[in-house]
Amino acid sequence: MTSVASRVRCDIDFDRPGRQAGYLRAPHSRNTSGWGVVEIPIYVFKNGTGPTLLLTGGVHGDEYEGQIAVSRLAQTLKLEDLSGRLILIPALNLPAALNATRISPIDGRDINRCFPGNAAGSFSEMLAHYIANFIVPLADAAVDLHTAGHSADCTPSTNMHYVDDAALRARTMAAASAFAAPYNVVFWGVDEGATLTSTVERRNTLCLGTEIGGWGRVSVEGVRLGERGVRNMLKHLGMLTGVPETVQRDSTPGTRHMMVRDPAAYSFAPVNAIFEPRHVAGEPVQKGQTAGFLHFIEDVDHPQQEVQYGASGILWMAAGPGRVQRGDCVAVVMQDYAEPTA
Ligand code: CA
């Protein structure tokens, strides 16, 4: 355990066998209480011997499927069925989760761009620092459950960064196959260094993310895949008995491994407008095909403006918020995974 001081307090003993349910208490001075705290639910199950799995939801507050799946697991898992230690934080960014926003209403920060954090920083930085220094080091494996939030809809998938360590990469892809979303996306990422998953990976610890919903609502299928996936992970790690259920809705036997490597896979809005997407997530699309049209309803007779796909593949992320700003990502295309050649 690190000796770095944190202002966050937790009364759970992570080494104690049994089921513990409590709170991370993160100080938040406010007009009504200078000594106030934000209480963030955390559960720890420890039984027998086995690895430690960390499951987090609600790193982005407007992504509900992971919050539901992790919370339900915490309330339904029988301690005696478990071998190992399970750490569950259903809504890590609780202020954002209660506000139904991606960004924290306390400091205006995306906590998933604050890692590895700063003990003396803003609320999100302080919380990220605690997670990075006091929770992540306990884990042998981690799954951080996300969706596309309000910004897009997604093809239900797990995801992982392309990690250089070939053995870790293979273990991570095997874990993704066990989680058994329809797709697993290996990606090289945009602005990824400050995320929770990057922090886990830097410790050479197995780490998966998910994208199992979006458009700011609760996806029925996303919740189903999330709940199945976290139990599949426990089975894959030998923490629950049984084998993962990997059959997909279309009766394919497992997960299709994909990648987003080409920067051209991302399409951006060149200007503020209404974005009208032409496809839904999961559809095959072609490079040069119309991704959508930008509409300028504030102007008389202003022609629509086309946005094209920069790569061929399957639409992973499809824009959803209606109004977009210049620089917003409006489409991400994934392609079948291939090991990069030197
Ligand atoms: Ca997210």
Side-chain angles (χ1 to χ4, degrees):
M1 182 71 75
T2 175
S3 61
V4 180
S6 175
R7 294 149 66 206
V8 180
R9 294 285 168 264
C10 178
D11 48 17
I12 280 177
D13 177 353
F14 290 93
D15 295 321
R16 194 173 88 202
R19 180 188 189 271
Q20 298 174 77
Y23 297 93
L24 306 176
R25 292 188 170 83
H28 173 43
S29 174
R30 47 204 184 237
N31 283 330
T32 52
S33 177
W35 294 340
V37 294
V38 173
E39 296 181 308
I40 301 166
I42 179 170
Y43 304 82
V44 179
F45 292 73
K46 188 173 192 295
N47 189 51
T49 55
T52 295
L53 174 64
L54 169 64
L55 297 177
T56 46
V59 164
H60 291 135
D62 61 344
E63 304 178 7
Y64 309 110
E65 291 80 347
Q67 299 180 44
I68 294 167
V70 177
S71 181
R72 184 168 287 148
L73 181 66
Q75 296 181 51
T76 57
L77 182 71
K78 294 189 179 75
L79 177 68
E80 60 269 27
D81 292 341
L82 184 77
S83 298
R85 181 169 60 178
L86 180 60
I87 302 173
L88 303 173
I89 308 178
L92 194 156
N93 190 352
L94 190 75
L98 297 178
N99 201 43
T101 53
R102 174 183 183 88
I103 303 293
S104 173
I106 294 180
D107 59 9
R109 299 291 302 275
D110 176 349
I111 193 172
N112 216 29
R113 300 294 182 273
C114 290
F115 282 87
N118 175 2
S122 72
F123 186 87
S124 298
E125 291 173 328
M126 169 187 67
L127 185 56
H129 173 270
Y130 178 82
I131 299 298
N133 287 280
F134 293 87
I135 303 293
V136 168
L138 303 174
D140 299 302
V143 182
D144 186 25
L145 289 104
H146 282 249
T147 78
H150 277 89
S151 65
D153 194 20
C154 68
T155 307
S157 49
T158 48
N159 61 74
M160 56 185 275
H161 297 128
Y162 182 87
V163 288
D164 289 328
D165 182 325
L168 179 61
R169 199 162 68 244
R171 284 204 300 132
T172 308
M173 291 183 80
S177 294
F179 190 99
Y183 295 92
N184 176 53
V185 182
V186 180
F187 71 116
W188 276 251
V190 176
D191 191 26
E192 287 299 310
T195 62
L196 171 56
T197 53
S198 295
T199 299
V200 176
E201 286 161 3
R202 278 194 286 272
R203 299 185 59 86
N204 223 34
T205 297
L206 193 163
C207 188
L208 284 176
T210 76
E211 299 290 350
I212 51 173
W215 283 348
R217 89 307 197 201
V218 177
S219 157
V220 174
E221 183 65 359
V223 172
R224 185 188 77 84
L225 288 167
E227 290 193 275
R228 187 179 81 156
V230 295
R231 287 188 176 267
N232 278 347
M233 272 297 284
L234 288 165
K235 293 172 184 171
H236 176 70
L237 296 169
M239 298 171 70
L240 285 179
T241 57
V243 294
E245 298 168 20
T246 62
V247 177
Q248 303 300 331
R249 282 265 187 232
D250 65 1
S251 52
T252 54
T255 296
R256 182 170 166 185
H257 291 273
M258 310 295 288
M259 65 178 180
V260 177
R261 186 181 190 194
D262 184 354
Y266 300 83
S267 295
F268 295 90
V271 64
N272 297 4
I274 297 173
F275 180 70
E276 173 207 1
R278 298 298 280 190
H279 303 96
V280 296
E283 282 192 82
V285 299
Q286 299 297 321
K287 179 180 180 177
Q289 189 178 5
T290 304
F293 292 102
L294 296 160
H295 294 275
F296 306 91
I297 46 75
E298 64 273 40
D299 291 334
V300 169
D301 287 337
H302 191 144
Q304 65 184 16
Q305 182 176 343
E306 183 187 22
V307 177
Q308 297 183 344
Y309 296 111
S312 300
I314 294 171
L315 188 58
W316 183 32
M317 298 278 172
R323 287 212 70 87
V324 295
Q325 295 175 31
R326 179 176 180 161
D328 282 354
C329 182
V330 295
V332 185
V333 176
M334 58 183 178
Q335 300 168 321
D336 278 298
Y337 182 73
E339 277 287 327
T341 50

